[in-house]
Amino acid sequence: QVRLVQSGGGSVQAGGSLRLSCVGSGYDYDKTCMGWYRQAVGKERERVAAISWIGVTTVYADSVKGRFTVSRDNAKKTLYLEMNRLSPADTAMYYCATVQCQSWRPTGYWGQGTQVTVSA
């Protein structure tokens, strides 16, 4: 049974930092590309970042480039999203997900979500 369990997130003032974690189980974690998505109230879900299964390739949404860093520790089966210089526009529910390694499209497995709220 595939499970993605998230932790981290919370509330922070603009300019602050947060780190999200996502532990995977029930599948070949180190052979699976992973991604972070977010969905703000009233908006469509968007991909924030994705990473290849060995962590060599990363992709980012333009809105977070230079501020967010996606990484993974395959030994711990953990995916991370380091978020710096946060702004109110980053307020959303964040989800980790398994993704296809070329298209970066989600493959159907999602974490439970964690709220990130950035105040001005």
Side-chain angles (χ1 to χ4, degrees):
Q1 179 183 1
V2 176
R3 290 192 69 199
L4 299 174
V5 179
Q6 297 179 223
S7 61
S11 297
V12 66
Q13 289 190 325
S17 299
L18 287 171
R19 188 174 82 158
L20 306 182
S21 300
C22 171
V23 179
S25 62
Y27 63 104
D28 286 333
Y29 181 86
D30 55 356
K31 295 293 189 293
T32 303
C33 295
M34 300 291 297
W36 287 100
Y37 288 76
R38 68 185 180 187
Q39 187 165 22
V41 174
K43 295 188 177 181
E44 293 187 355
R45 183 181 63 198
E46 66 168 336
R47 188 184 65 231
V48 174
I51 187 168
S52 61
W53 56 275
I54 57 172
V56 171
T57 302
T58 56
V59 294
Y60 296 94
D62 288 343
S63 58
V64 306
K65 279 181 182 176
R67 301 187 299 121
F68 289 14
T69 302
V70 60
S71 62
R72 63 190 296 163
D73 183 336
N74 285 351
K76 295 181 179 179
K77 297 187 176 182
T78 302
L79 176 72
Y80 302 100
L81 184 68
E82 188 75 35
M83 303 182 291
N84 298 311
R85 303 200 318 268
L86 285 160
S87 76
D90 296 314
T91 295
M93 187 71 80
Y94 284 71
Y95 300 89
C96 61
T98 55
V99 301
Q100 294 178 348
C101 292
Q102 291 184 327
S103 68
W104 307 111
R105 292 174 182 162
T107 56
Y109 297 105
W110 297 87
Q112 81 277 19
T114 186
Q115 179 68 38
V116 170
T117 302
V118 184
S119 58

